[in-house]
Amino acid sequence: MDSQTSQASQPPQPPHQPHTFQVDLRGLVDLLSHHLYSSPRVYLRELLQNAVDAITARRAGEPDAPARVRLHAVDGGLRVEDTGVGLTEPEVHGLLATIGRSSKRADGLHEARSDFLGQFGIGLLACFVVAERIRVVSRSARTPGAPPVEWTARDDGSYTVRTLPASARPEPGTTVYLTARAGAAEWLAPARVRALARDFGSLLPYDVRVGDEPVTERPAPWDRAYPSPGARRAALARHCQELFGFAPLDAIDLDVPLAGIRGVAYVLPSAVSPAQRATHRVHLKGMLLTERAEQLLPDWAFFVRCVLDTDSLRPTASREALYEDETLAAVREALGGRIRSWLSGLAAGDPERLSAFLAVHHLGVKSLARHDAEMLRTMLPWLPFETTDGQLSLEEFARRHPVVHFTRTVEEYRQVAPIASAQGVGVVNGGYTYDSELVEALPRVRPGTVVAELDADTVTAHLDTVDPAEELALAGFLTVARDRLEPLGCDVVLRAFHPPAVPALHLDDRGTRHEQARAAAEERADDLWAGILGSLRGSAPRARLVLNQLNPLVRRIGSLGDPELIGTATESLYGQALLRAQRPLRPADSALLNRAFMGLLAWATHGEGDGR
């Protein structure tokens, strides 16, 4: 008998019976507490959320229904009562006993989901993070005459449901009882419950109390009526101090009606690093969503801390952060526009407050201005820059100088600033964050302005040349000096410049330094790599040591007749010029400084000691 005949003779197999997943509740609670939620504190948010959503559901059909939430922390447990829509026995079986299902999906309520805080149906499950037993007593407002129902669940996954007499809960609504897990009693302590309820629920739209103590404070501080603008500023300053722990420089209203956003941005009173991520408080329909929203504002607005309430932004699954989507991107742009408008308003009408702000946060405004020509144009008269004329705005500096010279590094600026200033050359220090970009953008907002990067040739060209006869008389001295510095890749030139107290000036640029670094690497490399580096040899100008013919010390050195002493003195002037320019020293430079010091010491003590 072949295989086909054998298979045909066998009776048909019964269809596979479906099976249901068995959920390890303890494992799921561990997953929630260690991976989804940042802290057990979220259990109270879930309880408040369920209560508020139940009241919202009831008021959809009964606009005048009572709206109360009461929390009572007693005897190591917690009781939460609400006047919401309540549940029937079938709803208890279908909703509370099914992980992942939400009452917001039932009875057509999904059509009004935007009114609810909960979006993911986790519900009471989060309470097992702190509780070993949860007991719920609920009476439905939608089913007249429905008796109260009790649902009791334990953290091992078991639960019971039973019907109670009407006297167990005369009015519609729900009461939740929590019994603390071992080691979690602190989360149900009265003081902790009060603090958490106030933190999460201060902006909720209903009457929430812990015992007799009110939790909600409506309207929000930024929406309240005040007798004067000064009184409003003082009240918001107190709110900022309580919330963030600092007294703000100012408060900026954040009102984006199309996105359902109301709030305030508080300006920090001290400078912070642009790399430090700003964190903000975001409430979703009154419930605190997160205290650490990082992506709410543009990166340049790192000088403010925000608190706001929204009904449009989408939370992540844990409801502890914002979901990055097109809505959030649009809100971020709109909030950035509010802060930009505040800056423009200060520039137009309150220069004293603007100056106080820029004294602390000019870096943030520069970050904005380099991408925003309108903001650069607005801020140009106010943004401070370090220049050879002192702290000035680019507008004032450009009025003083026909060419706006700038350096790209702080080291380059320190190298040339004293000499350039003495020669009447104006220089802007572009070495600080964003400054060189803003200087280069200046012609776009101030047409006709000439901007040029300062290099060694430009500085040298502004120094006075020495009389040819005097330079010819010093030819022997200059030859020795050049020979001594030749191994360092440095030329020696003689000029006359102010101030006379400066004996020598070391000038180079980035091209020179790159060539020096390449040459040093070539010396250390093997044959193959040295050949590659050699092929990259550039034609960048060499560094130069500019000796000041007006300096008495340089004139005395130039009159020496001993070549060895001239060389040692030249090395000393080179080392002093490097230190004055605050340049990083290469190993060869350090060796030269040590050699020059020892040489001068030997010369100064020559002949001493033999006659002791």
Side-chain angles (χ1 to χ4, degrees):
M1 181 181 296
D2 60 23
S3 60
Q4 291 182 346
T5 306
S6 175
Q7 291 176 1
S9 63
Q10 293 181 3
Q13 298 295 317
H16 292 292
Q17 295 298 317
H19 298 280
T20 58
F21 285 105
Q22 299 299 310
V23 176
D24 178 359
L25 188 56
R26 284 198 177 98
L28 187 56
V29 168
D30 182 72
L31 180 67
L32 291 175
S33 60
H34 289 96
H35 299 282
L36 183 61
Y37 295 132
S38 62
S39 166
R41 69 197 299 266
V42 298
Y43 87 91
L44 194 66
R45 183 194 65 196
E46 296 292 338
L47 288 174
L48 288 175
Q49 174 181 291
N50 286 342
V52 169
D53 285 348
I55 293 172
T56 301
R58 183 176 180 184
R59 284 199 155 191
E62 299 178 54
D64 296 328
R68 298 188 304 271
V69 180
R70 297 291 183 265
L71 297 89
H72 304 275
V74 292
D75 300 330
L78 178 65
R79 184 174 82 253
V80 181
E81 304 172 348
D82 70 65
T83 57
V85 69
L87 297 171
T88 63
E89 184 174 353
E91 290 170 340
V92 166
H93 282 286
L95 299 173
L96 293 182
T98 304
I99 293 174
R101 182 174 293 184
S102 169
S103 60
K104 271 76 80 176
R105 295 192 179 98
D107 298 333
L109 289 179
H110 61 280
E111 298 174 0
R113 282 179 65 86
S114 62
D115 293 331
F116 296 105
L117 301 173
Q119 298 290 317
F120 301 94
I122 296 175
L124 288 172
L125 189 63
C127 293
F128 280 118
V129 173
V130 297
E132 68 174 10
R133 188 177 66 134
I134 302 174
R135 176 171 171 257
V136 178
V137 176
S138 186
R139 184 165 188 170
S140 175
R142 289 185 298 212
T143 305
V149 181
E150 178 191 71
W151 175 85
T152 304
R154 296 185 175 277
D155 60 3
D156 61 2
S158 63
Y159 74 94
T160 60
V161 177
R162 62 175 180 149
T163 300
L164 300 179
S167 58
R169 184 172 180 95
E171 300 296 330
T174 300
T175 302
V176 179
Y177 303 85
L178 300 186
T179 302
R181 295 167 61 94
E186 61 171 306
W187 293 103
L188 305 184
R192 179 62 66 91
V193 169
R194 279 194 299 272
L196 292 177
R198 193 178 299 114
D199 202 29
F200 283 118
S202 62
L203 299 184
L204 289 174
Y206 305 134
D207 178 17
V208 180
R209 297 172 184 261
V210 177
D212 295 326
E213 182 179 334
V215 167
T216 49
E217 299 177 3
R218 301 283 295 189
W222 50 84
D223 284 331
R224 295 173 193 166
Y226 296 96
S228 67
R232 186 177 189 271
R233 281 196 298 270
L236 290 179
R238 289 193 299 272
H239 178 248
C240 178
Q241 185 71 56
E242 294 170 359
L243 211 58
F244 295 114
F246 65 84
L249 283 179
D250 206 349
I252 307 169
D253 284 318
L254 302 178
D255 184 9
V256 187
L258 292 178
I261 286 178
R262 290 281 298 161
V264 63
Y266 292 116
V267 181
L268 290 164
S270 56
V272 293
S273 167
Q276 178 180 334
R277 298 293 294 180
T279 56
H280 312 285
R281 288 177 64 96
V282 177
H283 295 255
L284 179 61
K285 303 179 185 71
M287 182 74 74
L288 178 66
L289 181 71
T290 179
E291 300 172 285
R292 299 183 298 275
E294 294 184 350
Q295 67 273 50
L296 187 65
L297 294 180
D299 290 340
W300 56 261
F302 56 82
F303 51 83
V304 299
R305 297 293 180 268
C306 296
V307 53
L308 55 83
D309 189 22
T310 176
D311 59 16
S312 64
L313 296 180
R314 180 182 170 191
T316 59
S318 66
R319 292 193 290 280
E320 294 185 284
L322 296 171
Y323 189 83
E324 185 67 50
D325 57 11
E326 293 182 357
T327 301
L328 180 57
V331 165
R332 182 162 49 237
E333 181 64 26
L335 294 181
R338 295 296 185 274
I339 299 174
R340 189 183 294 111
S341 298
W342 170 78
L343 285 170
S344 299
L346 289 186
D350 200 339
E352 289 186 5
R353 287 172 67 200
L354 178 62
S355 296
F357 167 75
L358 289 178
V360 179
H361 295 299
H362 57 273
L363 199 59
V365 180
K366 287 180 177 180
S367 174
L368 169 62
R370 67 195 178 112
H371 296 302
D372 190 323
E374 183 59 36
M375 183 54 58
L376 178 60
R377 187 177 294 107
T378 301
M379 292 289 107
L380 197 58
W382 307 101
L383 288 172
F385 290 79
E386 183 180 358
T387 77
T388 48
D389 292 354
Q391 286 286 115
L392 290 178
S393 69
L394 290 182
E395 176 72 27
E396 176 64 22
F397 189 82
R399 284 201 297 264
R400 295 186 182 188
H401 298 278
V403 178
V404 178
H405 288 102
F406 73 98
T407 64
R408 291 193 182 276
T409 69
V410 175
E411 291 77 12
E412 290 173 354
Y413 177 80
R414 290 171 178 166
Q415 185 178 9
V416 303
I419 308 304
S421 179
Q423 310 310 309
V425 179
V427 184
V428 178
N429 183 356
Y432 296 115
T433 306
Y434 311 132
D435 282 10
S436 62
E437 296 176 69
L438 292 174
V439 176
E440 290 182 298
L442 188 56
R444 298 205 307 266
V445 297
R446 198 179 188 275
T449 302
V450 179
V451 173
E453 183 176 353
L454 191 69
D455 56 22
D457 288 335
T458 303
V459 176
T460 306
H462 281 82
L463 303 180
D464 294 334
T465 57
V466 178
D467 182 85
E470 290 188 40
E471 186 164 4
L472 183 60
L474 295 171
F477 157 70
L478 292 175
T479 298
V480 173
R482 287 165 182 156
D483 288 344
R484 184 59 67 97
L485 296 186
E486 175 62 28
L488 298 174
C490 183
D491 291 332
V492 178
V493 297
L494 187 65
R495 293 288 187 272
F497 56 87
H498 291 273
V502 177
L505 177 65
H506 181 271
L507 293 178
D508 63 4
D509 53 29
R510 283 174 297 152
T512 302
R513 293 193 292 277
H514 291 164
E515 176 62 18
Q516 289 174 340
R518 186 209 60 76
E522 182 180 357
E523 291 179 0
R524 297 190 301 268
D526 56 30
D527 292 342
L528 175 60
W529 187 236
I532 295 173
L533 290 173
S535 68
L536 299 176
R537 183 180 296 112
S539 58
R542 288 155 58 91
R544 68 197 68 175
L545 181 68
V546 184
L547 300 178
N548 188 0
Q549 196 266 345
L550 300 179
N551 181 266
L553 177 60
V554 171
R555 290 201 299 270
R556 286 199 297 272
I557 295 172
S559 64
L560 294 173
D562 183 351
E564 186 62 31
L565 185 55
I566 290 174
T568 300
T570 301
E571 290 178 336
S572 298
L573 290 175
Y574 173 85
Q576 189 266 354
L578 279 181
L579 296 174
R580 183 182 182 87
Q582 302 184 36
R583 307 280 324 154
L585 297 181
R586 298 171 297 166
D589 297 330
S590 299
L592 176 144
L593 280 172
N594 290 330
R595 184 172 64 249
F597 175 76
M598 298 304 294
L600 290 176
L601 202 59
W603 178 83
T605 59
H606 180 69
E608 299 288 339
D610 294 336
R612 281 197 306 238

